[in-house]
Amino acid sequence: MKDLTAPSYTAATASGTPTRPRAALPALCLTQITSWGILYYAFPVLNPQITAATGWSAAATTAAFSAALLVSALTGMRIGRVLDARGPRTVMTAGSVAGTAGLVIIATAPNLPLFTTGWLLTGLAMASTFYQPAFAALTRWWAPDHVKALTIVTLAGGLASTVFAPLTAQLASHFSWRHTYLILAAVLAAVTLPAHALALRAPWPSAPPQTAANADTSRTAVARSRPFLLLATALTLSAFAMYTVVVTLVPLLLDRGYTAAQAAWALGLGGAGQTLGRTLYATLARRTSPALRTAVLIGLGGAATAAFALVPGPYPLLAALSIAAGTVRGNLTLLQATAITDRWGTRHYGRLSGLLAAPTTTASALAPFAGTALAGPLGGYPHLFAALAVISSGAALIAWHTAPARETTRLPLIRRLTLPKHQR
C-alpha cells in the first residue's frame, strides 16, 4: 500500500527548474489562513471581552499585541538566514509549536506581564509562519513561476479574517475569552503542525550560483546599496500610511455621521478589494519595471487616502473608494513579496526579505497608536488622512529611484523611456 504520509514531488525539469513538492502550495494556503486568522485576526475580536473580564486597559492589551508584531519584525531577519540555508520546514513547524504555546500562555495568564510574555512568544510564531517564510519557500521552489504561486497563497491568506473573525466571535458568544483562545490553540496545532511537518519535506534547492553577471549582488552589498535602502524607506512609509488608514477608517466614517454597520461594511469591502488586487498583479508585473510599479502603486494608495480626506460622501462612493484602496493594498502585498527577486534574484531571498520586512512590520505595529494619537493634534481624521496621503506621495517619489543600475539594460526601449533619465 502506498504511504500516504510520504512526500510527493514533481520532477525537476531539464532546464534546472527546482523540484516542487505538490502538497506544499495547498498546505501553505491552508496554514496561512489558519495562522493569520488565529494569531492575528482573533485578537481584535476578543480584546473587548479580555479587557472587560480582566480589568486590564485596552491600551495595555493592545501594547502586548503590538509587542508581538515588533518581535516578529526583529526575529524575521534571523529567520531569513535559516530559510536561505535550510528551507521552510523546520522554521514553520517550530513556528506552529511556538504559536500554540504562546496562545496557551495568553489564555491562562493570571496577570498582564504573563499575558505579554505569551504575546512575545506568539510574535516569534508570526515571524515563522506568516507570509515571509511561505514566500521564501515558494520563491525558491517555484522559480521562475513564483509570482503565480505567491498570488495563490496571498489570495488564500486574504480569507483569514473572513473565516476566523466570525468564527472567533461565535466561539466567544458561547465560551470565555480564555476558553476561546484554548480552542483556537488546538485548531492551530491540529491544522498547521502536520501541514508544515509533512508537506514541506521536498529537497531544498541550492541557491543560484554566483556568476560574473551577478557578482555585485552579494547579500551585504545589496543590503548596503542605495536602491535597497531607498526601497526599505519607501515601503516603510507606505506601510505606515496604509495600516494607519485601515485602523482609522471606521472612526473617520463614524465622525462623518455614518453608522457603525456602514463603517464596518466599508472596511470589509477593502478586504474584498485586496483579493481583487492580487488577481491583477501578475499582469502588472509583466508590463512594468519594478521601480515603476512600486512608485505607481504607492502613489495610487496615496491618491485613495487623499480621496477619503476630501470626499465626505455619499456612502456608495466611499464604499467604492474602500474597494479601490483595498485593490492597491492587495497589490502592495505581492509587490513586497517580489521586490527582492525582481531586483536581485533569489540567492539571498530569505535574508534580504527579512531585512526589508523588519521596518515595514514595525511601522504596521506602530500604526494603531500613531493614528489615534495624531488625529487630535492634526484637527481630526480628515486632516490625518491628508497627512498620510502626503507621506504616501513622498514614498512614491522615493520608490522611483529603487532600480539597481543594471536593471535598465535589460528593459525594452519603451520601458526604459518611462524611467528617469539617470536610470536609463
Side-chain angles (χ1 to χ4, degrees):
M1 181 180 293
K2 182 179 179 181
D3 182 2
L4 296 179
T5 65
S8 57
Y9 311 127
T10 58
T13 66
S15 62
T17 300
T19 300
R20 297 171 181 173
R22 289 194 294 266
L25 184 55
L28 288 173
C29 288
L30 178 62
T31 62
Q32 288 303 299
I33 293 173
T34 307
S35 298
W36 276 97
I38 293 175
L39 298 179
Y40 189 92
Y41 288 107
F43 174 75
V45 176
L46 292 176
N47 195 39
Q49 191 178 118
I50 294 172
T51 56
T54 61
W56 303 333
S57 70
T61 55
T62 304
F65 179 72
S66 292
L69 296 176
L70 292 175
V71 168
S72 175
L74 295 175
T75 57
M77 293 182 284
R78 174 59 182 170
I79 287 172
R81 295 192 189 103
V82 179
L83 289 167
D84 280 336
R86 301 181 183 179
R89 185 191 180 202
T90 299
V91 166
M92 300 192 79
T93 303
S96 296
V97 174
T100 302
L103 290 179
V104 170
I105 294 172
I106 291 167
T108 58
N111 51 54
L112 190 58
L114 195 57
F115 179 84
T116 303
T117 300
W119 276 113
L120 296 178
L121 181 57
T122 302
L124 178 61
M126 291 175 178
S128 304
T129 60
F130 280 5
Y131 280 141
Q132 181 190 338
F135 288 166
L138 297 176
T139 297
R140 186 75 69 87
W141 273 326
W142 260 258
D145 302 320
H146 55 283
V147 172
K148 180 179 179 181
L150 295 174
T151 300
I152 292 171
V153 82
T154 54
L155 286 172
L159 297 173
S161 62
T162 305
V163 173
F164 278 95
L167 175 60
T168 301
Q170 186 66 23
L171 288 171
S173 68
H174 292 87
F175 304 98
S176 70
W177 72 269
R178 294 183 186 277
H179 286 103
T180 297
Y181 258 136
L182 288 174
I183 294 170
L184 291 175
V187 173
L188 183 74
V191 173
T192 67
L193 264 172
H196 290 152
L198 299 177
L200 304 180
R201 292 195 288 171
W204 188 236
S206 300
Q210 195 86 352
T211 65
N214 65 6
D216 61 334
T217 60
S218 70
R219 183 184 66 215
T220 303
V222 170
R224 295 178 178 177
S225 67
R226 182 172 178 268
F228 184 88
L229 295 174
L230 291 176
L231 179 64
T233 301
L235 292 179
T236 299
L237 292 173
S238 174
F240 176 79
M242 179 176 69
Y243 282 100
T244 304
V245 166
V246 170
V247 299
T248 56
L249 179 60
V250 169
L252 171 74
L253 297 182
L254 291 176
D255 279 0
R256 285 177 167 167
Y258 295 100
T259 67
Q262 287 175 315
W265 269 106
L267 182 61
L269 288 172
Q274 288 187 61
T275 301
L276 172 63
R278 288 165 183 169
T279 65
L280 304 175
Y281 184 79
T283 300
L284 180 65
R286 287 194 298 268
R287 298 184 179 183
T288 57
S289 68
L292 176 61
R293 66 175 166 272
T294 304
V296 168
L297 286 172
I298 293 176
L300 288 174
T305 302
F308 276 123
L310 297 172
V311 178
Y315 181 77
L317 179 57
L318 293 175
L321 280 176
S322 184
I323 294 174
T327 300
V328 175
R329 290 199 304 272
N331 275 280
L332 283 170
T333 300
L334 285 167
L335 177 77
Q336 182 162 341
T338 58
I340 299 298
T341 52
D342 286 343
R343 292 167 173 82
W344 298 286
T346 63
R347 183 173 178 81
H348 303 294
Y349 179 87
R351 169 62 170 157
L352 292 174
S353 65
L355 287 172
L356 194 63
T360 59
T361 304
T362 301
S364 67
L366 297 175
F369 292 102
T372 303
L374 291 173
L378 290 175
Y381 287 102
H383 292 91
L384 171 65
F385 274 58
L388 295 173
V390 172
I391 291 174
S392 291
S393 298
L397 291 175
I398 294 171
W400 186 252
H401 302 282
T402 60
R406 69 183 186 284
E407 176 186 286
T408 57
T409 64
R410 298 197 301 265
L411 296 174
L413 176 60
I414 189 168
R415 283 167 63 185
R416 291 204 305 270
L417 293 176
T418 67
L419 296 175
K421 184 175 181 181
H422 72 279
Q423 293 183 6
R424 297 178 191 170

